Amino acid sequence: MAQLLSNVCSIQSVVPESYILPPERRPGQQVVPHCDTIPVIDIDSDRNELIQEIIKASQEYGFFQLRNHGVSEELMKDVLVVAKEFFDLPVEEKERFYSEDPNQTCRIKTSIDFAKEKVHFWRDNLRHPCHPLEEHIHQWPENPARYREVFGLYSVEVRKLGLRILDLICEGLGLEAGYFEGGLSHGQTMSINHYPQCPDPTLVLGLPKHGDPFTITLLNQGDVPGLQVLKDEKWVAVEPLPNAFVVNINHMLQIISNGKLKSADHRVVASSNVARTTVASFIRPSIDVVIEPAKSLVSESNPPLYKCFTFGDFTRSYMADTHEGKDPLERLMIQS
């Protein structure tokens, strides 16, 4: 349990050697500019205009920020407060949920895969399923006292919003109505990330370069910066906006759209000034659902770019590729 950063980092005056990345992987002293061009979309816009904005952002960046989305400002703030309270709990309280077993549904861990990594990443993470709510809420932490109440309300509201975005993407791609219902949006996972203050952020990463393996992500990043997106082979910082979600396209959407939409690589940097706590909601397919480019989007002149596979098979290869630093989509591409 001692490896949880939220337990030990307050007494660290230097970065432990096991967290220091090789020079070529460090963020270093480079100043990463805030990106003024990542789209900020108002969901109250005209529907046709809204769809066009979402599709364009998903093609060019794979990311956009969403305002006026219907999740209350109070709930957006409450979920971050409760998340921070969880990571401030005594060691013995968090220890109840600590596990290196990925099959444990509700668990806290440090880094990504602590036991197998050569170098660790500067974050703690609490993750649990949250849909259907009644099947999972009893497994969640009871401390802080408001955890189940606040995260229960939040997970329902964020799922509604995520499904609404998928409906708009469905229409924008010209797919049949309801394409993303059922197996492609079967599950929902809540991922609470905590990036403690770091003695030297130039040596570490909170999360390395990666794309999300699911369908779509809605991130509540609060008011502390740290998220960076790779655009035109350069890192740009995503400026936190009050009461906004950062929405990003995941690998499954890139494949289903036959490459029309982009699952952008991103990473997280640490700070020497303040800890950062974020709440990400992943809408994900069921393990046995078949993933492939939508048949209505492929033709003789626009052949499929990706093979057919099950999501369960992909998750296994995704983890292996992540450990080896490979592009997890490369093995799925059809060679021309």
Side-chain angles (χ1 to χ4, degrees):
M1 191 61 186
Q3 63 260 40
L4 268 185
L5 280 169
S6 51
N7 293 340
V8 300
C9 70
S10 61
I11 60 174
Q12 294 283 356
S13 58
V14 297
V15 176
E17 187 175 349
S18 61
Y19 286 84
I20 298 176
L21 292 165
E24 67 276 10
R25 297 181 65 193
R26 298 174 192 170
Q29 301 283 357
Q30 178 186 7
V31 176
V32 174
H34 289 295
C35 184
D36 298 326
T37 56
I38 287 181
V40 179
I41 298 175
D42 189 329
I43 205 167
D44 283 339
S45 304
D46 170 79
R47 183 177 178 87
N48 290 332
E49 181 181 338
L50 174 62
I51 290 172
Q52 290 175 12
E53 288 181 344
I54 289 175
I55 295 297
K56 183 178 180 182
S58 301
Q59 290 173 324
E60 294 183 0
Y61 288 91
F63 273 79
F64 55 90
Q65 299 215 56
L66 193 65
R67 282 177 158 169
N68 296 323
H69 40 66
V71 181
S72 73
E73 182 176 354
E74 179 183 10
L75 187 54
M76 293 282 286
K77 290 180 178 178
D78 272 356
V79 78
L80 291 173
V81 168
V82 172
K84 292 172 185 174
E85 289 174 351
F86 176 83
F87 285 102
D88 287 338
L89 289 173
V91 174
E92 58 272 13
E93 188 66 31
K94 287 180 286 189
E95 191 172 20
R96 297 173 53 221
F97 295 95
Y98 188 85
S99 176
E100 294 293 344
D101 180 4
N103 295 315
Q104 182 168 316
T105 54
C106 180
R107 68 180 181 123
I108 186 174
K109 62 176 182 174
T110 197
S111 190
I112 298 175
D113 193 339
F114 195 89
K116 295 181 180 179
E117 296 163 344
K118 294 180 180 178
V119 181
H120 307 309
F121 297 97
W122 198 263
R123 75 148 188 178
D124 290 338
N125 174 257
L126 173 67
R127 182 173 295 208
H128 55 69
C130 48
H131 178 79
L133 184 62
E134 62 276 8
E135 291 184 12
H136 300 294
I137 194 169
H138 66 280
Q139 299 172 331
W140 298 358
E142 294 181 271
N143 193 11
R146 295 195 305 149
Y147 190 95
R148 292 183 179 182
E149 175 191 0
V150 171
F151 271 88
L153 290 170
Y154 182 80
S155 63
V156 170
E157 292 301 307
V158 175
R159 180 172 176 83
K160 286 194 298 186
L161 176 61
L163 295 179
R164 182 180 177 189
I165 296 169
L166 286 174
D167 281 343
L168 294 167
I169 289 173
C170 179
E171 188 172 338
L173 290 174
L175 300 174
E176 59 267 29
Y179 187 91
F180 292 108
E181 295 175 4
L184 293 175
S185 59
H186 171 81
Q188 181 185 5
T189 298
M190 204 63 65
S191 181
I192 302 96
N193 297 301
H194 182 69
Y195 308 96
Q197 286 179 252
C198 179
D200 188 349
T202 67
L203 302 176
V204 308
L205 283 173
L207 281 174
K209 172 185 172 184
H210 70 286
D212 291 347
F214 309 109
T215 305
I216 197 167
T217 303
L218 284 80
L219 172 70
N220 180 353
Q221 68 166 340
D223 58 3
V224 179
L227 175 64
Q228 297 179 351
V229 175
L230 193 63
K231 172 65 174 169
D232 299 325
E233 300 305 315
K234 294 181 180 179
W235 290 107
V236 293
V238 181
E239 182 74 18
L241 296 178
N243 197 38
F245 280 105
V246 179
V247 180
N248 71 285
I249 301 303
N250 288 189
H251 286 328
M252 297 305 99
L253 265 183
Q254 177 171 322
I255 291 167
I256 291 165
S257 70
N258 203 34
K260 187 173 184 180
L261 306 186
K262 177 183 179 182
S263 176
D265 285 328
H266 51 288
R267 69 181 186 181
V268 176
V269 296
S271 169
S272 61
N273 301 318
V274 65
R276 179 173 183 260
T277 304
T278 67
V279 178
S281 176
F282 303 121
I283 292 182
R284 54 179 174 78
S286 58
I287 291 297
D288 58 353
V289 72
V290 174
I291 307 291
E292 62 183 335
K295 289 182 170 54
S296 61
L297 298 181
V298 300
S299 63
E300 188 174 342
S301 60
N302 186 38
L305 301 177
Y306 302 97
K307 303 172 185 176
C308 178
F309 57 93
T310 66
F311 180 65
D313 287 340
F314 175 77
T315 57
R316 288 184 283 274
S317 65
Y318 174 85
M319 290 304 298
D321 290 337
T322 298
H323 284 305
E324 296 174 18
K326 297 179 180 177
D327 178 357
L329 297 185
E330 187 174 339
R331 68 170 71 226
L332 300 173
M333 295 193 71
I334 297 174
Q335 303 301 318
S336 57

